[in-house]
Amino acid sequence: MNDIKTSGAIDHQRRRLFGAAALAIAAAEFGISSPAGAEASKAKSAGLRTTKPGTHTSFAALKQIDAGALNVGYAEAGPADGPPVILLHGWPYDIYSFVDVAPLLAQAGYRVIVPYLRGYGTTRFLSSETVRNGEPAALAVDAIALMDALKIEKATLAGFDWGARTANIIAALWPERCKAMVSVSGYLIGSQEAGKMPLPPKAELQWWYQYYFATERGRAGYDKYRRDFAKLIWQLASPKWDFDEATFARSAAAFDNPDHVAISIHNYRWRLGLAEGEPKYDDLEKRLAAAPVITVPTITMEGDANGAPHPEPSAYAKMFSGKYSHRTIKGGIGHNLPQEAPQAFAEAVVDVAAES
């Protein structure tokens, strides 16, 4: 899940992010869109048909393609010549977070690509010698490699959790590849140094699993109980989402990937500075540690019942210097926003794409 901390840590994070933003874009204008602007933007997605969560339970047959270090499994929907949209999932979730979103966007004429991240579903490493690296820069490079393999020069990127962070990184470091972005929980770019900062006890409590994963007992426990673990995270992160067993089972199958545990554990250990990354990503991570401002058109989103650690919108609004607005989705929506509120998520994608 997200690595921006809550409670007392928000103030520290806000100061750090605002300071970086001021240095990078001192003369720029920022702000959250007005209600009138939001209403005008909503009109762009008015043509989407109405879909309730849980309407769809499957994708068309999955495809596979070699891309960078991976053979990537992905779902595709919509016309092959439509404007491309790439939907990126988080931990511990999978492509089914977008099972209701993808048909909405396809019906609107978009070419929709929904890949399994490294360590999930049918995505596999091409070589047994490749480091099972979960650091954020590696996941972003995976997404760029997938775009190259699919001959997609530029796409609208949308995601949550690890997927939102990946989209943030691409928008910040390779803006020429990102037409526009939808990011649940806003600006999620972090660094190992930020991850080392101690937090007040109440904030640290929310990261219990991160510290569990720092131990060998935690690695073994996650491996043995990965489905039980994922279900618990779903319940904590989306306390008002009444998902059924079939919904969970469809996603839980993705955690049977042979590299899932290694990637998950490395991701969280790397954040705490307890695991090394790969030298080839050092320059990218150094640039990310400076908290680069994102210039592409962006809509950030948050559910009103997100039980996972997440910052307040006011803490990250100034990290977006292009066209920007924020939407809080009400009705008991938790961390897995695209699956819990697919209509709102699809509308945001259509609206932000129209802004670019």
Side-chain angles (χ1 to χ4, degrees):
M1 289 193 292
N2 301 335
D3 65 350
I4 301 294
K5 313 300 194 284
T6 55
S7 302
I10 290 296
D11 290 333
H12 170 79
Q13 185 70 11
R14 183 184 296 116
R15 288 194 297 271
R16 186 177 73 84
L17 297 183
F18 280 14
L23 290 173
I25 47 171
E29 294 182 357
F30 306 99
I32 297 177
S33 65
S34 66
E39 289 175 6
S41 183
K42 281 277 189 179
K44 298 166 188 171
S45 56
L48 287 179
R49 71 172 185 266
T50 301
T51 295
K52 294 181 179 180
T55 298
H56 300 89
T57 59
S58 65
F59 291 96
L62 289 181
K63 300 181 179 181
Q64 300 287 143
I65 191 168
D66 288 350
L70 303 171
N71 178 260
V72 178
Y74 66 99
E76 183 169 0
D81 60 350
V85 173
I86 299 176
L87 305 177
L88 299 166
H89 69 81
W91 174 91
Y93 305 92
D94 81 326
I95 64 173
Y96 280 90
S97 290
F98 304 104
V99 72
D100 288 316
V101 173
L104 288 173
L105 296 177
Q107 181 264 339
Y110 291 90
R111 180 189 182 190
V112 186
I113 306 295
V114 194
Y116 281 112
L117 302 184
R118 56 169 59 192
Y120 292 80
T122 61
T123 292
R124 297 289 188 274
F125 285 90
L126 293 172
S127 171
S128 60
E129 302 300 316
T130 303
V131 177
R132 271 41 178 177
N133 181 354
E135 70 179 291
L139 273 69
V141 169
D142 288 347
I144 292 292
L146 176 63
M147 292 175 67
D148 290 343
L150 294 173
K151 296 181 170 54
I152 295 174
E153 184 61 31
K154 198 170 188 176
T156 296
L157 304 176
F160 72 106
D161 198 85
W162 289 20
R165 182 178 301 107
T166 300
N168 285 187
I169 292 171
I170 295 171
L173 300 186
W174 297 282
E176 70 279 4
R177 306 301 299 271
C178 183
K179 178 178 176 10
M181 179 175 65
V182 173
S183 179
V184 176
S185 297
Y187 187 91
L188 297 175
I189 294 173
S191 68
Q192 283 188 317
E193 286 305 308
K196 294 176 183 177
M197 295 294 294
L199 306 176
K202 188 175 181 179
E204 297 282 17
L205 180 61
Q206 293 183 296
W207 291 101
W208 63 273
Y209 59 88
Q210 184 166 264
Y211 304 119
Y212 180 62
F213 286 171
T215 68
E216 180 55 25
R217 177 187 176 94
R219 187 209 63 75
Y222 186 55
D223 191 9
K224 183 176 181 179
Y225 299 108
R226 63 184 79 178
R227 293 196 179 207
D228 291 338
F229 202 103
K231 182 179 288 187
L232 176 60
I233 294 295
W234 281 32
Q235 292 165 342
L236 294 174
S238 298
K240 296 186 178 181
W241 182 29
D242 188 23
F243 60 87
D244 60 24
E245 187 59 36
T247 297
F248 176 75
R250 281 189 288 272
S251 289
F255 314 144
D256 294 334
N257 183 293
D259 300 304
H260 177 72
V261 172
I263 295 298
S264 300
I265 297 300
H266 184 267
N267 178 281
Y268 287 103
R269 289 183 180 179
W270 182 91
R271 296 192 206 183
L272 294 176
L274 301 176
E276 295 295 325
E278 292 180 83
K280 64 182 178 181
Y281 299 118
D282 286 352
D283 180 62
L284 296 179
E285 296 293 0
K286 183 177 180 180
R287 293 165 63 189
L288 294 171
V293 172
I294 292 173
T295 60
V296 306
T298 298
I299 292 175
T300 58
M301 307 184 76
E302 193 61 78
D304 66 343
N306 185 359
H310 63 279
E312 291 298 318
S314 60
Y316 53 71
K318 290 189 176 181
M319 299 311 296
F320 301 95
S321 65
K323 294 180 180 178
Y324 173 73
S325 64
H326 176 80
R327 298 178 183 180
T328 296
I329 310 304
K330 299 182 179 181
I333 303 304
H335 190 59
N336 186 2
L337 192 151
Q339 194 162 5
E340 297 175 60
Q343 189 78 31
F345 192 86
E347 288 174 356
V349 173
V350 171
D351 291 340
V352 80
E355 292 290 343
S356 57

